[in-house]
Amino acid sequence: GIGLATAALFARSGATVAINDLPDNPSLERAVAELKQEGLSVQAAPADIGQPEEARAMVRQAAERLGRLDYLVNNAATANTDRPIPLSDLDGIDEAFWSKVLGLNLVGPFRCTQAAAGYLRQARGAVVNTASSAAFGAPGSSLAYAASKAALVNLTRNLARALAPEVRVNAVAPGLIRTPWTRRFGQEWEELSVRQTCLKRPGTPEDIAEVMLFLCAGGAYLTGQTLLVDGGMG
């Protein structure tokens, strides 16, 4: 989805990219192999960023292999459900659900940024977090997911202050993006979301990747901001 499209765009733009995914996900090695066939400079960086030491070790090892670290894109996240959970279904969200969603969607980006901070300061680099239009009231997959993304918007603003002036920190808040992840929610959910947009189409991973690249390689006077990229959802 968004992560692979972003990694591919960065690599095609001349960057050397370390791509993170779960260690047991066969699509990681497959994606790396396919990008290498294009002649791109990419490598796998497997880890579960929901696990504190695993996340931090992954960032350190990737930075050491790359030789430096200019940009960090915190895109890993989970809805932790195969169907949208209505806001009224409070019993559909238990303590374990909250723990997984917050641990990956909110604390995970902090862990990776914390581990990357020294490298990014040295490079005068940038961080981009993947928030969501659900952070601003759009329908999300669950109350917990929306809350985690709203908190990530706040974390983005405060990390920008914490890492200034050397490192810029921004976020992208996608609306409906057609990915294997969102297809699980069904055609009706997609059509409802599309009807609410000005552009009358779902977004693509490439739409978000373009904004990620801008926030890293451009936007030199932009920090602490979250860009809503939702096709003009009303």
Side-chain angles (χ1 to χ4, degrees), residues 131-186:
S132 170
S133 59
F136 301 100
S141 55
S142 74
L143 181 153
Y145 179 84
S148 73
K149 293 300 187 175
L152 185 59
V153 169
N154 181 274
L155 180 65
T156 296
R157 186 161 55 248
N158 284 325
L159 284 174
R161 294 166 175 154
L163 297 178
E166 296 89 355
V167 182
R168 293 178 298 107
V169 184
N170 293 291
V172 177
L176 173 68
I177 306 300
R178 182 178 284 165
T179 69
W181 186 16
T182 58
R183 285 194 195 101
R184 296 179 302 170
F185 298 154

Side-chain angles (χ1 to χ4, degrees), residues 16-225:
T16 299
V17 182
I19 306 175
N20 166 251
D21 207 328
L22 292 170
D24 57 354
N25 190 342
S27 65
L28 174 59
E29 293 297 338
R30 184 166 59 249
V32 169
E34 290 174 356
L35 292 173
K36 283 184 174 179
Q37 286 181 347
E38 291 187 38
L40 302 175
S41 181
V42 298
Q43 57 186 260
D48 179 357
I49 71 159
Q51 302 300 317
E53 290 310 312
E54 200 171 329
R56 295 183 180 104
M58 180 274 294
V59 172
R60 291 193 298 267
Q61 291 166 10
E64 289 167 4
R65 289 199 306 271
L66 294 173
R68 60 182 291 162
L69 188 64
D70 295 273
Y71 310 126
L72 171 67
V73 176
N74 286 311
N75 181 69
T78 184
N80 201 29
T81 179
D82 290 329
R83 62 173 181 83
I85 300 173
L87 297 181
S88 59
D89 185 10
L90 299 184
D91 292 333
I93 303 175
D94 58 17
E95 291 290 335
F97 191 101
W98 272 106
S99 180
K100 184 168 184 179
V101 169
L102 290 176
L104 188 58
N105 296 5
L106 178 62
V107 187
F110 172 79
R111 293 175 184 130
C112 292
T113 304
Q114 181 185 45
Y119 303 102
L120 292 169
R121 282 190 172 110
Q122 187 173 8
R124 300 190 75 84
V127 177
V128 178
N129 296 319
T130 303
S132 170
S133 59
F136 301 100
S141 55
S142 74
L143 181 153
Y145 179 84
S148 73
K149 293 300 187 175
L152 185 59
V153 169
N154 181 274
L155 180 65
T156 296
R157 186 161 55 248
N158 284 325
L159 284 174
R161 294 166 175 154
L163 297 178
E166 296 89 355
V167 182
R168 293 178 298 107
V169 184
N170 293 291
V172 177
L176 173 68
I177 306 300
R178 182 178 284 165
T179 69
W181 186 16
T182 58
R183 285 194 195 101
R184 296 179 302 170
F185 298 154
Q187 187 66 27
E188 183 178 353
W189 189 77
E190 177 177 301
E191 290 173 356
L192 174 63
S193 298
V194 167
R195 285 199 297 270
Q196 297 176 36
T197 69
C198 292
L199 298 183
K200 302 306 177 188
R201 69 170 177 88
T204 67
E206 290 74 21
D207 290 326
I208 304 304
E210 289 178 352
V211 181
M212 298 281 200
L213 182 63
F214 163 69
L215 289 174
C216 284
Y221 201 54
L222 191 65
T223 195
Q225 304 304 305

